[in-house]
Amino acid sequence: TLRRWVVNAHPKDFTCKVNEDKMGLLCDNFDHLKNKNQKEDGADDELGKIRAIRLCKDKDLKHIACGDSCGYLWVFDAETMGLVSINETHQNEILGCEYTPVSDFREKRNQILATCSKDHSVKLFDAKENYEEIKSIHDHDSAVIGIKFVEDEKDPDIKLVSADAKGKVSIRSIDEELN
């Protein structure tokens, strides 16, 4: 279950109260998804557990991306809490997700979301085109456990850094990956 609350803090007595009419439920039930790793006895302990979450800070694109234990990418509108997109993107659980930095707005490129997974891959999605997959990268030989976009003042290109469970770190140019 993933929930969002708007909390009103009262500094005089340091108590907080949940604003019930502003509470938003992002996702409460994953039962309609078929668990690829379901046990023989029918238990589905791992079904739909959120493993990664990231907020897009673009002024025109306020989304929350979530990766789950079954390889599904869930994207919600951060203002309305409505489901924007759900896709089975990886063969195994998603361990990380990251949006390109807000400062990387260029006319030639939309906002990009990158995900990494236990399936040894990194995938790139076009956030402004309903999270269509634009690139799948398979240069790791173990679970990719972390990803990060990095900006450099001296280089106008954004780099995507990924690390796997065996300690391999890959640094790649986003412009080169997309061309």
Side-chain angles (χ1 to χ4, degrees), residues 98-101 104 106 109 147-152 154-162 170-177:
E98 183 78 18
Y99 283 99
T100 48
D104 184 43
R106 303 177 191 185
R109 181 167 64 225
I147 53 173
K148 181 76 177 166
F149 284 104
V150 179
E151 294 178 281
D152 183 356
K154 298 174 186 172
D155 185 358
D157 189 25
I158 300 295
K159 305 290 188 236
L160 177 63
V161 179
S162 58
S170 292
I171 302 171
R172 60 188 66 81
S173 161
I174 290 302
D175 284 341
E176 289 175 16
E177 288 295 332

Side-chain angles (χ1 to χ4, degrees), residues 37-153:
N37 304 317
Q38 191 168 12
K39 298 173 187 167
E40 288 181 22
D41 63 1
D44 57 355
D45 294 336
E46 294 299 311
L47 184 60
K49 290 187 177 178
I50 300 296
R51 298 291 190 225
I53 187 167
R54 185 65 60 201
L55 175 67
C56 180
K57 299 173 185 170
D58 182 339
K59 63 182 169 84
D60 298 324
L61 189 74
K62 293 179 174 41
H63 287 170
I64 300 171
C66 306
D68 76 11
S69 57
C70 296
Y72 285 86
L73 175 63
W74 299 74
V75 181
F76 300 92
D77 184 300
E79 293 179 339
T80 67
M81 297 298 109
L83 184 63
V84 172
S85 173
I86 178 172
N87 294 305
E88 183 178 9
T89 59
H90 288 276
Q91 297 299 315
N92 210 316
E93 69 183 275
I94 296 173
L95 298 175
C97 51
E98 183 78 18
Y99 283 99
T100 48
V102 175
S103 61
D104 184 43
F105 292 125
R106 303 177 191 185
E107 291 181 23
K108 64 180 181 175
R109 181 167 64 225
N110 284 340
Q111 186 77 37
I112 295 172
L113 173 70
T115 60
C116 64
S117 170
K118 278 188 172 179
D119 67 6
H120 307 187
S121 70
V122 172
K123 295 194 178 187
L124 304 177
F125 302 90
D126 189 333
K128 293 194 177 176
E129 294 296 328
N130 201 29
Y131 291 88
E132 176 183 319
E133 184 178 322
I134 53 178
K135 181 83 176 194
S136 184
I137 304 166
H138 300 275
D139 62 353
H140 288 279
D141 59 356
S142 64
V144 185
I145 58 173
I147 53 173
K148 181 76 177 166
F149 284 104
V150 179
E151 294 178 281
D152 183 356
E153 294 175 6

